[in-house]
C-alpha cells in the first residue's frame, strides 16, 4: 500500500525533475542564441533569466507565495515602453514563474 508521505515525496521529486529538465532546455537555448549573436541575443535574454528560477526549484527551494507575488509584480512591469531587451527579460521571468506555479498546483 502506498503511503501518503511516499506520494508527497514522489510529487516533490517530480516537480524538481521538471525544473531540472526545463532548466537544461532553457540553458541550451540560451547557449545557442549567445553563440549565434545578433538578434538572437534577444532570445538569450529571454532564456538566461530563467536559470536561477529553475535552479531554485530543482533544489527544492521554490516558494510558491513568493513566486506568486513576483509573478504579479512582473506582469505589472511589462509595457510597450520597454526596450526589446527589457521586454524579453521580463517576459522570460513571467513565463518561468507561471510555468513553475502551474506545475506546482
Amino acid at each position: 500500500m502506498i503511503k501518503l508521505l511516499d506520494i508527497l515525496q514522489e510529487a516533490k521529486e517530480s516537480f524538481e525533475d521538471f525544473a531540472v529538465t526545463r532548466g537544461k532546455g532553457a540553458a541550451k537555448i540560451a547557449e545557442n542564441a549567445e553563440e549565434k549573436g545578433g538578434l538572437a541575443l534577444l532570445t538569450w535574454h529571454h532564456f538566461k533569466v530563467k536559470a536561477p528560477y529553475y535552479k531554485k526549484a530543482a533544489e527544492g527551494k521554490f516558494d510558491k507565495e513568493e513566486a506568486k507575488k513576483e509573478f504579479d509584480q512582473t506582469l505589472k512591469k511589462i509595457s510597450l515602453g520597454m526596450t526589446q531587451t527589457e521586454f524579453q527579460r521580463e517576459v522570460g521571468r513571467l513565463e518561468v514563474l507561471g510555468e513553475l506555479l502551474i506545475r506546482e498546483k
Side-chain angles (χ1 to χ4, degrees):
M1 180 167 267
I2 299 175
K3 296 178 184 174
L4 180 58
L5 185 57
D6 292 336
I7 293 170
L8 293 174
Q9 184 63 30
E10 200 172 294
K12 182 178 178 184
E13 289 170 355
S14 178
F15 176 74
E16 290 169 352
D17 289 343
F18 172 81
V20 168
T21 301
R22 297 292 293 163
K24 286 179 183 177
K28 182 67 176 163
I29 293 168
E31 182 182 305
N32 289 341
E34 186 176 32
E35 286 176 13
K36 199 170 193 176
L39 289 177
L41 290 177
L42 290 174
T43 300
W44 179 82
H45 285 284
H46 180 85
F47 283 92
K48 188 69 176 173
V49 74
K50 296 179 178 191
Y53 296 94
Y54 287 129
K55 183 177 187 291
K56 198 172 189 179
E59 293 172 347
K61 298 176 183 174
F62 183 73
D63 182 330
K64 198 171 173 179
E65 292 308 311
E66 183 181 306
K68 284 180 186 179
K69 288 177 189 171
E70 188 172 359
F71 179 91
D72 289 338
Q73 290 169 346
T74 301
L75 184 57
K76 289 175 186 173
K77 283 196 302 190
I78 294 172
S79 76
L80 297 176
M82 301 176 116
T83 66
Q84 283 290 335
T85 300
E86 291 168 333
F87 180 79
Q88 288 299 324
R89 206 175 292 136
E90 295 308 318
V91 170
R93 184 182 328 279
L94 187 71
E95 186 175 71
V96 69
L97 287 165
E99 69 184 23
L100 289 171
L101 285 165
I102 290 167
R103 181 64 174 83
E104 184 62 355
K105 274 186 181 178

